C-alpha cells in the first residue's frame, strides 16, 4: 500500500509541476512581457528562428482561456499514460513534442506562429487510442476505451476548421503519439 501512495504522489508531483510551470509562464508572459514570449518561443514554420520554438511552444498560450482549455485534458490523458509508467509519460511527451513541432515547422503556414499544449494533448490521445495495436494488453484496451469515451470529439481537431487554431499541431501531435506507441511497443517486444 505504501508503494501505491508513493507512485500516486510521484504522478501528482510531476503533473502538478507541469501545470504550475504552465501557469507561471502564462502569468509572466501576460502580465509582465505583454505576450512577447509567444513570438520568441513559438514555432515559426519554415523559418530558422522557428526551430527553437519546437521545445518552447507547448509551454506558451495565447490567453488564460487558451491555457484553461488545455489543463484538464493534459492532466487526464497524461495521467492515463503515467499509470503504465512515468517513463512512458516522459517518452511519449518528448516524442510528441518533437514530431508535432517538426510537423508544424515543415507544413505550417508561412508567417504564422504556433503555440500551446494542444499538440501534446493530441499526442497523448493518439498514444492512448492506438497503443493497444502495438502492445496488446487488457490495460491498453481499457485506456483506449477510456480516452475515446472522454475525448472522442478531439479527433475533429486534426482537420482544418478555425484559422486561429493550429490543426497542424493537432494532426502532427496525434501522429507523434501513434509513433511513440509504436516505438514503445517495439521496445517491449525486444525486451
Amino acid at each position: 500500500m505504501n508503494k501505491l501512495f508513493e507512485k500516486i504522489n510521484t504522478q501528482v508531483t510531476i503533473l502538478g509541476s507541469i501545470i504550475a510551470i504552465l501557469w507561471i509562464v502564462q502569468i509572466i508572459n501576460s502580465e509582465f512581457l505583454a505576450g512577447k514570449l509567444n513570438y520568441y518561443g513559438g514555432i515559426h514554420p519554415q523559418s530558422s528562428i522557428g526551430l527553437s520554438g519546437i521545445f518552447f511552444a507547448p509551454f506558451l498560450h495565447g490567453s488564460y482561456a487558451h491555457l484553461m482549455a488545455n489543463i484538464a485534458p493534459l492532466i487526464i490523458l497524461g495521467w492515463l499514460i503515467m499509470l503504465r509508467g512515468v517513463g512512458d509519460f516522459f517518452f511519449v511527451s518528448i516524442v510528441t513534442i518533437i514530431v508535432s513541432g517538426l510537423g508544424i515547422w515543415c507544413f505550417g503556414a508561412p508567417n504564422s506562429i504556433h503555440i500551446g499544449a494542444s499538440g501534446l494533448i493530441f499526442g497523448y490521445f493518439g498514444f492512448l487510442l492506438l497503443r493497444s495495436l502495438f502492445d496488446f494488453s487488457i490495460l491498453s484496451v481499457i485506456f483506449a476505451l477510456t480516452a475515446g469515451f472522454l475525448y472522442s470529439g478531439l479527433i475533429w481537431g486534426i482537420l482544418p476548421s478555425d484559422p486561429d487554431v493550429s490543426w497542424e499541431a493537432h494532426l502532427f501531435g496525434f501522429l507523434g503519439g501513434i509513433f511513440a506507441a509504436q516505438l514503445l511497443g517495439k521496445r517491449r517486444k525486444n525486451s
Side-chain angles (χ1 to χ4, degrees):
M1 194 62 129
N2 212 10
K3 285 190 178 194
L4 177 63
F5 287 120
E6 284 179 29
K7 190 174 183 179
I8 292 171
N9 187 42
T10 299
Q11 294 167 350
V12 168
T13 301
I14 291 167
L15 287 170
S17 297
I18 291 168
I19 299 307
I21 290 167
L22 291 173
W23 276 104
I24 290 167
V25 169
Q26 181 62 33
I27 291 167
I28 291 170
N29 190 27
S30 290
E31 305 303 325
F32 302 106
L33 300 174
K36 289 185 174 126
L37 284 180
N38 293 345
Y39 178 79
Y40 294 107
I43 301 171
H44 299 252
Q46 299 133 36
S47 163
S48 58
I49 190 174
L51 284 172
S52 63
I54 289 172
F55 294 101
F56 297 118
F59 297 96
L60 300 169
H61 291 82
S63 66
Y64 288 105
H66 183 202
L67 175 59
M68 288 291 292
N70 284 331
I71 295 291
L74 191 68
I75 291 171
I76 293 167
L77 296 173
W79 182 67
L80 286 172
I81 293 170
M82 214 178 271
L83 287 174
R84 287 289 297 264
V86 171
D88 285 5
F89 172 78
F90 285 114
F91 181 80
V92 173
S93 297
I94 291 166
V95 169
T96 298
I97 287 170
I98 292 170
V99 171
S100 177
L102 287 174
I104 293 166
W105 190 83
C106 290
F107 299 104
N111 303 316
S112 62
I113 301 172
H114 298 254
I115 56 171
S118 60
L120 194 55
I121 291 165
F122 275 80
Y124 293 166
F125 184 60
F127 176 82
L128 288 164
L129 280 184
L130 296 168
R131 179 177 187 161
S132 60
L133 293 178
F134 306 107
D135 175 25
F136 186 78
S137 71
I138 297 300
L139 201 53
S140 292
V141 172
I142 291 170
F143 290 163
L145 292 172
T146 302
F149 175 75
L150 292 173
Y151 292 104
S152 60
L154 280 181
I155 202 71
W156 298 110
I158 63 173
L159 301 173
S161 58
D162 183 342
D164 294 329
V165 175
S166 177
W167 66 271
E168 298 95 338
H170 298 174
L171 173 62
F172 289 105
F174 189 77
L175 294 174
I178 295 169
F179 184 57
Q182 184 179 20
L183 291 174
L184 277 176
K186 283 183 182 178
R187 197 166 71 183
R188 287 215 163 73
K189 284 179 187 172
N190 293 335
S191 16

